[in-house]
Amino acid sequence: MQAEQRIPDRRGRKARRTRDALAGAAFELVLDRGLREVTVEEIAERADLDRRTFSRYFAGKEDAVLDSVRGDGDRINDALRARPAGEPPLTAYRRAVQDWLRDPVVPAWHRRPRIYELLVLAEREPTLYAAFHHIRVGAQADSVAIVADRLGTDPLSDLRPAVTVAAGAGALLAAQAAWVRGDRPDELPQLVDRAFEALAGELLTGPAPPGVGAPHSTTSTTTEGNGTP
């Protein structure tokens, strides 16, 4: 490798370490003390940096504390790109989310320390929630482009990519909301599965009429008392 190539690489690693130090300081301080009790100056001081350096990397403390989850949308999108070409779009999105949840290398939210606390806090703090929503919107825009590419279509004229991502991301958001409000830190994968199953269940087929078993049921209804069909 030539010297001029090594210099940008070294600078990039240094910038990444600086960003990680600021994000880590914001994460710990805000979760320990609360968003409103922490200043940008305190975050910079904890990272042994100054206020000006903080401003080069983050727009505010909300942006910094959420840096730990910013890459999760990218990981879902990477998994979506890698799904087999023949999968229906919504199935591919669901499987991409499942791949992210099960990733043995980079743990998903339910297997990373204190991420549950962070998302609970985001539900209570409007500015933190707004910043998290901004991150989600960016990731979903990338998802739409990926689905459009899979379908070989233009997302500006074909609504299918946007509808696919709105449905899939909506299921993930519903599962996340149930997760942080239900005090069940380990149950995110089960809640995600339930949310996606709802898309293929009664929301599409409608509830069964009274006295009629659920569609595709493998059980039979018996008459009370005598066990006859």
Side-chain angles (χ1 to χ4, degrees):
M1 182 182 293
Q2 296 178 351
E4 60 268 23
Q5 292 176 310
R6 290 196 297 269
I7 292 172
D9 288 347
R10 190 160 56 245
R11 288 174 178 166
R13 289 194 298 270
K14 182 179 179 182
R16 183 71 255 180
R17 288 195 298 270
T18 300
R19 184 184 184 95
D20 288 346
L22 289 165
F27 185 84
E28 295 297 334
L29 283 170
V30 167
L31 290 186
D32 287 344
R33 291 166 45 191
L35 183 69
R36 301 177 190 183
E37 302 303 318
V38 175
T39 67
V40 167
E41 288 76 14
E42 288 175 312
I43 294 169
E45 184 178 354
R46 171 69 69 90
D48 199 22
L49 296 162
D50 57 32
R51 177 69 164 78
R52 183 181 300 176
T53 301
F54 179 95
S55 297
R56 287 206 301 266
Y57 289 90
F58 299 109
K61 57 186 176 181
E62 294 87 353
D63 194 31
V65 74
L66 288 169
D67 202 54
S68 56
V69 297
R70 192 181 308 278
D72 289 288
D74 294 335
R75 282 186 276 277
I76 291 172
N77 283 330
D78 287 343
L80 180 58
R81 288 187 190 91
R83 294 306 307 169
E87 279 185 341
L90 187 55
T91 299
Y93 191 95
R94 177 181 183 175
R95 298 282 165 73
V97 172
Q98 291 172 330
D99 290 343
W100 164 68
L101 287 168
R102 298 166 183 162
D103 188 339
V105 178
V106 182
W109 292 340
H110 62 296
R111 294 189 289 122
R112 289 215 303 272
R114 307 197 78 180
I115 295 297
Y116 177 81
E117 293 177 56
L118 174 62
L119 297 183
V120 169
L121 182 63
E123 288 282 316
R124 299 199 303 261
E125 292 286 353
T127 59
L128 196 59
Y129 186 86
F132 187 45
H133 175 71
H134 181 74
I135 292 171
R136 283 201 307 261
V137 167
Q140 289 170 27
D142 290 342
S143 298
V144 170
I146 295 166
V147 172
D149 186 63
R150 289 174 62 88
L151 293 173
T153 191
D154 180 358
L156 296 179
S157 58
D158 187 340
L159 292 179
R160 291 178 299 165
V163 170
T164 296
V165 173
L172 179 57
L173 178 59
Q176 176 207 318
W179 181 53
V180 301
R181 295 169 188 168
D183 195 25
R184 299 186 296 271
D186 298 327
E187 292 191 10
L188 182 61
Q190 296 92 321
L191 290 167
V192 168
D193 283 340
R194 286 168 54 190
F196 275 97
E197 286 298 327
L199 291 177
E202 288 187 357
L203 294 181
L204 292 178
T205 62
V212 177
H216 310 300
S217 174
T218 57
T219 60
S220 60
T221 303
T222 59
T223 303
E224 184 176 358
N226 59 17
T228 58

